[in-house]
Amino acid sequence: MLTIYSRSQLALRNGQDKSEVWIAYQGKIYDVTHSRLWRNGKHYEHWAGQDLTDELKEAPHTEYVFEKLKIVGLLKAANP
Ligand code: HEM
């Protein structure tokens, strides 16, 4: 059973406030704490601690990059 995290809990894992570095994609929260490509929560001009689903289209790669990452939880759905 995966834990459900709020956007503010995710925002704390931005590579600045807490040691963990997390990003959300399509409702899942992925751990990029140990990724050299997400050092201090920054990946090119993209920042950790938020839902990056809409930003993937700006990437030179597809969503295959998420395949080997650990899922730490689910992102609480935004209020409609
Ligand atoms: C200017 C935009 C971006 C550039 C130039 C870029 C570039 C890269 C490159 C070169 C890699 C390594 C790919 C590989 O291992 O084959 C990578 C990995 C990755 N990218 Fe991006 N990316 C961009 C945007 C994004 C966005 C918007 C997201 C999230 C939605 C994202 C998520 C990731 C993830 C999760 C990895 C895997 C990290 C790892 O396994 O250590 N990227 N990116």
Side-chain angles (χ1 to χ4, degrees):
M1 186 59 191
L2 284 170
T3 308
I4 297 175
Y5 292 95
S6 66
R7 279 159 206 271
S8 48
Q9 289 172 307
L10 171 63
L12 290 172
R13 277 84 179 184
N14 57 4
Q16 316 288 321
D17 301 319
K18 280 185 181 282
S19 56
E20 304 107 330
V21 184
W22 295 352
I23 56 176
Y25 179 69
Q26 293 190 339
K28 293 193 183 84
I29 298 176
Y30 295 86
D31 189 356
V32 288
T33 307
H34 306 295
S35 169
R36 60 179 172 73
L37 293 159
W38 283 89
R39 207 157 278 151
N40 305 322
K42 194 165 188 308
H43 182 70
Y44 300 92
E45 70 279 3
H46 300 273
W47 287 94
Q50 50 186 324
D51 183 359
L52 298 174
T53 304
D54 297 339
E55 294 178 32
L56 187 69
K57 60 181 177 295
E58 297 162 28
H61 53 72
T62 65
E63 60 186 13
Y64 85 87
V65 293
F66 290 96
E67 283 166 16
K68 58 183 190 308
L69 294 176
K70 181 179 155 222
I71 296 171
V72 286
L74 301 175
L75 183 60
K76 196 168 172 199
N79 299 332

